[in-house]
Amino acid sequence: MPASTIAILAIYLGFALLELWRSNLFAKPGQTRDDGIVEAASIVVLLGLTQPAILFLSAAFAGMVAPQYAGALADLNAFAAIALFLLLDDMMQYWWHRAAHTFPWLYNLHRPHHNARYMSVRVVYRNNLFYYMMMPGIWLSGVLIYLGLGWVYAGYIVVKLAVITGAHSDIAWDRPLYAVKWLSPVMWLVERTISTPATHHAHHGRHASDPAVHYKGNYGNLLFFWDVLFGTAKITRTYPESYGVENLPPTTLGQQLLWPVFPEQKGLIAEEGSAVMREA
């Protein structure tokens, strides 16, 4: 097993064990039977099928279109290589995520991520099964790997998973650091650079009236800097009172995992679409 895979498993399991110890990993407030099924199916399909298949297919397509460029960037400076992944994977994911909160049809693929009434490592990869199949950043990462940057991707994806897992966990690692006065300048920089529990929990907050909620912003995945740069950031150093989706009808298990194979009722599509646009 590659070292990067071992590191990813260790990070995820580490946060999971922390939640198991501190906040009951398997019994979150407000969870339903469907929550566990959606989360298990999402992570198994993404990590076991979707992501490996996309990385392989995108590299294969690149080889068919431009075989002469295989490994062309293998000797690229490491910092330049990391910058390419940040731009073509992480920044693209920012815009994909932002689009998912703008266009009703795409929101239907992303809404399962917000259906959870809690924050947890369980939510990290919770999405409709088609959501990641269409994500541009994964396809572009496959092209970069074809160009010879697989050695950078192995480390990049470990760091990315550590940040996003920590940002979704209900064990807010940043909360005690905000209380340390002399760390305030450091945390000022950290919270404007990477996603933290405070900034990302705001995106999952349930009620727009809650001052800590910023549902139509804080889209950043690894880098919160994209929100700062593109004007969608809200930093409060506080945490929402509750989580989930406000003012929308419930969805079935089939709709969460496989919309549009399992479509909503006709009236529900229009209702959800108008609600998404009202929140824009």
Side-chain angles (χ1 to χ4, degrees):
M1 184 180 292
S4 59
T5 302
I6 295 173
I8 287 171
L9 290 174
I11 291 167
Y12 191 86
L13 290 175
F15 275 103
L17 289 172
L18 189 59
E19 283 193 21
L20 185 63
W21 173 44
R22 296 285 299 277
S23 63
N24 203 339
L25 176 65
F26 299 111
K28 298 298 184 182
Q31 75 175 51
T32 67
R33 179 188 64 89
D34 288 353
D35 286 325
I37 297 174
V38 172
E39 289 154 4
S42 297
I43 193 169
V44 169
V45 172
L46 172 65
L47 300 183
L49 177 62
T50 304
Q51 188 174 36
I54 291 176
L55 294 176
F56 174 80
L57 288 172
S58 56
F61 290 152
M64 294 170 58
V65 173
Q68 69 274 26
Y69 291 114
L73 299 180
D75 296 326
L76 188 66
N77 176 276
F79 293 104
I82 293 170
L84 283 176
F85 278 108
L86 290 174
L87 289 171
L88 298 182
D89 174 65
D90 198 55
M91 187 182 74
M92 289 300 295
Q93 189 167 351
Y94 164 87
W95 284 108
W96 178 251
H97 188 188
R98 185 169 175 173
H101 284 266
T102 304
F103 302 103
W105 69 270
L106 187 52
Y107 182 75
N108 283 333
L109 301 181
H110 181 56
R111 182 181 161 183
H113 189 67
H114 289 277
N115 273 358
R117 297 295 302 272
Y118 48 84
M119 295 301 293
S120 172
V121 297
R122 293 166 42 180
V123 180
V124 174
Y125 291 123
R126 174 177 172 151
N127 270 299
N128 182 289
L129 300 185
F130 297 119
Y131 182 77
Y132 289 110
M133 293 180 188
M134 301 167 60
M135 186 175 286
I138 304 178
W139 290 90
L140 292 172
S141 291
V143 173
L144 291 177
I145 291 172
Y146 167 76
L147 293 173
L149 298 182
W151 60 279
V152 176
Y153 185 74
Y156 166 81
I157 201 66
V158 169
V159 173
K160 181 172 182 175
L161 181 74
V163 171
I164 65 176
T165 303
H168 283 87
S169 176
D170 63 2
I171 307 299
W173 59 262
D174 55 346
R175 190 192 299 265
L177 300 182
Y178 290 136
V180 182
K181 188 174 182 179
W182 66 268
L183 278 178
S184 186
V186 176
M187 292 305 296
W188 184 95
L189 179 62
V190 168
E191 65 192 356
R192 285 164 176 76
T193 304
I194 64 171
S195 292
T196 63
T199 56
H200 197 70
H201 284 210
H203 177 68
H204 282 259
R206 181 174 179 83
H207 299 295
S209 59
D210 185 341
V213 170
H214 192 41
Y215 194 66
K216 297 297 294 186
N218 291 20
Y219 300 118
N221 202 26
L222 167 54
L223 293 186
F224 186 74
F225 172 74
W226 305 126
D227 286 282
V228 176
L229 180 64
F230 297 118
T232 53
K234 181 179 180 179
I235 301 172
T236 66
R237 295 191 175 186
T238 58
Y239 307 84
E241 294 182 2
S242 60
Y243 301 94
V245 178
E246 185 177 33
N247 298 327
L248 289 181
T251 55
T252 66
L253 176 62
Q255 289 162 0
Q256 288 193 68
L257 286 174
L258 289 169
W259 183 91
V261 176
F262 295 95
E264 303 93 335
Q265 299 175 358
K266 291 182 180 179
L268 181 58
I269 297 176
E271 187 175 355
E272 290 200 0
S274 61
V276 173
M277 299 313 292
R278 283 198 305 272
E279 292 292 329

